[in-house]
Structures are given as C-alpha cells and as structure tokens.
C-alpha cells in the first residue's frame, strides 16, 4: 500500500498579505519628510537674510490686523466644515450641522500622519461613529473633495493658467466642471446603486441635489477667505502693494494649498505648499517676504487646526447619538 503524495495546504484562517502602496512605504515617507525639512531650511535662510526689515514690519503691525488673520482662519475652517456638512446632506445623510463640522475638524488631525491613510479613515470612521451609514460616509467624503477641489480650481485658475500650458488648464477645467455637473445632477446614483446591488452592499436611499449648491457656495466663500489671510499678512510685511498684486498673492495662496493637498509627499502638504507659494509670488514681492508670509500662514493654520481638531475629536466621540435618522440603526 503506497502513501498518497504529500500536498501542502495553507491553514484555513490565513489571509494573503496585500502589497503596501508605494506612497505608504517607509522610504517614500522619509523622502517626503526630508523634502519638507529642506524647504523649511531654505525658507529659514531666506527669512534670516532679511530678518531686520521683516521684524520691523511685524513689530509695527496693528494687533487688529493679526486678530483679523486669526478670525479669517477660523471662518475658513467653518466654511469648509459647512461644505462637508452639505456633502453629507447631498447624499441623503441626516446629521446635525455641529456634528458634521466636528467630524471635519477632528479628521484634519490625520493630515499630519504621513500617507494620508489616517486622514481618510478619520473622515469615514468618525462619520460612521455618528451613526451615518458607511455608504453615505464614503460618498459624502468623495463629494466634499470634488466640490472643494472644483471651487479651488475655479478661484486659482487665472494664476495657474499663466504657469502651465493653456490647453492643459482648459482640459482640467472642463473635467472639473463635468465632475461637478454629474455630482449635482445625480446621474451617477442609478449606476452606483446597480453596482451596489451586484456586490450585495447597501444602496444609496436618498439624494438631495439642492445641497450641491450649498457646498459649492460654502467652498467658494472659504477659498476667498483663505486668500484674504494671505493678503492680510502681505499688508503687514509689504505695505503699499497694489490691489492687483495683493489679489494675485491671495490667489497664489489658494493654488499653493491645492498643490500641497494633492501632494502625497509630505503630511498636510508641509513644505510643498510653502515652496509653491514662494515660486508663485516671487515676481510680485521679494522672496524673503514671500517666505515669511508662507511661514506665518503655516504656523497659524497648523496651530488652529490642531487645537480645533483636538476639541472636535473629543466632542465627536462624546457626542455620539443613540440613533440618527437616515443613518444605520
């Protein structure tokens, strides 16, 4: 009697390991952090070379101007939070406005972890924690970023058109407009529900296209306010600049924010945003001044974002409802 040939079988409970994405690899994260450090060293040297002039302007700045910059940053965060709230309502999620803004602010903490994984997981995870269905959480997150990037492109298009190929800008603008139209019209709902049925996943039960306009409006107001923050710091560090040049600097700050957000190289676009801002404004103001403005905006943005994020995270976790209409039971 011969023994049957030995065959190797895997244990039933083993799960194949997925290959790590390149933008989450340790080498890519280290390269991104080194790049950010190099940019800040460059900015630090530029600011140090003209520190006497810059510090004189800062010391003469009105406290009201500095308070205005802080207030504008707060309003900017609230506007983008309202955009996220509108995006959730767009896909039929019934959620309180303070809770939605709290989810947005708390999830911003994830931006400072390399790889953006925690940022995405924070948005979706906190939304489901507040009893919003996973389908609505994912769609709300997606709609929020489509609206945010679309309005950012609309605000910064005049400046970006001077820097890149005009035809490329036309293609990007057309694709962005098409994405917003498809999102707001609801043409994607039936194909999406058919796809969900095939996967035996929950379908989207309701859709409210009127909220698309509210999201576009709040995002547009937010970008204009963000540009005004750069204009306020410019008026402090470079008084007497013409209105046209000040507006260009405001637009450059929005364009730099978008590039930093779309870059997976560094957490929260650190270094990328500042470098792009300096490159976009070097023909309008002196490079050390542009570096100082970028640095001040980063300090203000990060300080308020981390503070509000920590408060909102506590609020979101402690304020979990027993049941939210339209959410998962």
């Amino acid at each position: 009697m011969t023994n049957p040939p030995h065959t190797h079988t895997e244990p039933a409970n083993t799960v194949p390991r997925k290959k790590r994405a390149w933008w989450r690899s340790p080498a890519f994260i280290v390269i991104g952090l080194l790049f950010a450090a190099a940019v800040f060293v460059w900015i630090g040297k530029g600011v140090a070379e003209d520190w006497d002039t810059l510090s004189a302007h800062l010391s003469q700045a009105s406290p009201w101007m500095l308070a205005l910059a802080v207030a504008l940053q707060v309003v900017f965060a609230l506007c983008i939070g309202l955009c996220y709230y509108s995006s959730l309502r767009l896909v039929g999620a019934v959620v309180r406005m303070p809770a939605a803004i709290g989810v947005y602010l708390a999830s911003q903490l994830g931006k400072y972890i390399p790889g953006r994984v925690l940022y995405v997981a924070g948005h979706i995870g906190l939304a489901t924690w507040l009893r919003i269905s996973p389908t609505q959480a994912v769609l709300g997150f997606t709609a929020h970023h489509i609206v945010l990037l679309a309005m950012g492109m609309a605000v910064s298009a005049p400046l970006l058109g001077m820097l890149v190929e005009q035809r490329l800008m036309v293609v990007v603008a057309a694709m962005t407009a098409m994405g917003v139209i498809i999102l707001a019209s609801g043409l994607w709902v039936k194909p999406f529900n058919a796809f969900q049925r095939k996967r035996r996943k929950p379908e989207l039960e309701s859709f409210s296209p009127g909220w698309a306009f509210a999201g576009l409006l709040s995002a547009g107001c937010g970008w204009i306010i963000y540009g005004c923050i750069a204009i306020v710091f410019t008026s402090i560090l470079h008084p007497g600049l013409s209105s046209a040049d000040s507006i260009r600097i405001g637009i450059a700050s929005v364009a730099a924010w978008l590039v930093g957000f779309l870059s997976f190289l560094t957490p929260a676009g650190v270094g990328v945003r500042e470098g792009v801002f300096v490159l976009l404004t070097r023909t309008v103001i002196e490079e050390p001044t542009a570096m100082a403005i970028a640095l001040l905006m980063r300090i203000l943005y990060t300080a308020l974002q981390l503070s509000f994020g920590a408060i909102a995270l506590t609020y979101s976790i402690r304020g979990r409802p027993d049941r939210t209409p339209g959410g998962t039971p």
Side-chain angles (χ1 to χ4, degrees), residues 263-282:
S263 169
F264 288 91
L265 191 63
T266 60
V270 174
V272 177
R273 187 186 304 171
E274 289 73 28
V276 171
F277 178 79
V278 173
L279 292 175
L280 291 177
T281 57
R282 65 195 313 175

Side-chain angles (χ1 to χ4, degrees), residues 76 79-81 83-84 87 104 111 119 142-154 180 215-216 218-220 222-223 254 257-258 261:
F76 167 72
C79 284
I80 305 304
C83 177
Y84 178 63
S87 300
Y104 163 74
K111 279 186 178 180
Y119 169 66
T142 306
H144 169 66
H145 286 83
I146 290 175
V147 171
L148 200 62
L149 294 175
M151 292 307 297
M153 285 293 298
V180 171
L216 291 168
S218 56
W223 286 129
V254 176
W257 195 100
L258 291 177
F261 177 79

Side-chain angles (χ1 to χ4, degrees), residues 100-120:
I101 295 176
V103 167
Y104 163 74
L105 293 174
S107 65
Q108 299 307 294
L109 297 174
K111 279 186 178 180
Y112 295 90
I113 306 299
R116 300 290 176 89
V117 177
L118 191 58
Y119 169 66
V120 177

